[in-house]
Amino acid sequence: MMRIAALLLTLALGVTACAPTTQTLGPDGKPLPKVYRIGAADKARVQYRMLDSVNALRRAAGAPEVELDAQLTAAATTHSRDMSVQNRPWHFGSDGSSPIDRVRRVGYTGTMLGENISETYETELETLAAWMEQPTTRRVIVEPKARKMGFSWHQEENGKIWWTLIMGS
């Protein structure tokens, strides 16, 4: 009797594993994005995964590695939150500030070399891959003069993430 029960359980599990998974489609017929949730405990992991990935790409491009900079990260955090408030991804703050203004406000004394931004539901690595596909955003990431990097995000309750990466000398 136990053998039959074990056989039936194994068969039931096997059939369940073969069941198709359903994916929710949007009005355009395309799959809706899966929400990538970033918790407070994930902050360092996400930042250092991005830093390691950026440095790997920089090494491949023959550029020196960068290190995370607290001031540039503070400017990135502020801008990510501000883009969410404005509900648009762009390089100017709601007060008219430019990326250069924002890095000066946080006390950064180096030169701001570039800023990449994104509005997405994707992970930091998917966002980095998208930035690497575009010549202008790729240039910011592999800028040979860069030695410092600021990286942060703001995630809305609905899961949308506003990413900001800043490179400085």
Side-chain angles (χ1 to χ4, degrees), residues 38 43 46-47 50 71-95 97-99 102-103 105-106 115-120 124 127 131 150-157 160-166:
I38 305 171
K43 182 177 180 179
V46 170
Q47 284 183 320
M50 179 61 100
Q71 292 170 321
L72 291 178
T73 296
T77 300
T78 299
H79 191 55
S80 293
R81 187 174 313 275
D82 191 45
M83 286 189 296
S84 172
V85 169
Q86 295 181 71
N87 196 32
R88 64 177 169 180
W90 75 322
H91 294 281
F92 293 94
S94 55
D95 62 355
S97 62
S98 72
R102 289 190 298 276
V103 299
R105 281 183 193 160
V106 297
E115 177 183 74
N116 287 345
I117 58 172
S118 180
E119 165 198 21
T120 184
E124 66 278 5
T127 301
W131 285 337
F151 175 67
S152 195
W153 62 90
H154 174 74
Q155 186 164 38
E156 296 178 356
E157 285 185 27
K160 183 189 290 186
I161 307 171
W162 301 85
W163 300 102
T164 305
L165 178 140
I166 304 171

Side-chain angles (χ1 to χ4, degrees), residues 14-32:
V15 170
T16 303
C18 295
T21 58
T22 58
Q23 188 161 12
T24 308
L25 300 179
D28 59 358
K30 294 181 181 177
L32 291 175

Side-chain angles (χ1 to χ4, degrees), residues 4-83:
I4 293 174
L7 183 60
L8 288 174
L9 180 61
T10 304
L11 183 60
L13 291 174
V15 170
T16 303
C18 295
T21 58
T22 58
Q23 188 161 12
T24 308
L25 300 179
D28 59 358
K30 294 181 181 177
L32 291 175
K34 292 182 181 177
V35 176
Y36 174 64
R37 288 278 175 209
I38 305 171
D42 299 323
K43 182 177 180 179
R45 179 185 55 79
V46 170
Q47 284 183 320
Y48 283 101
R49 182 173 17 204
M50 179 61 100
L51 178 65
D52 291 344
S53 299
V54 164
N55 279 331
L57 292 166
R58 290 178 61 79
R59 280 191 303 274
E65 291 189 0
V66 293
E67 62 184 30
L68 275 176
D69 181 88
Q71 292 170 321
L72 291 178
T73 296
T77 300
T78 299
H79 191 55
S80 293
R81 187 174 313 275
D82 191 45
M83 286 189 296

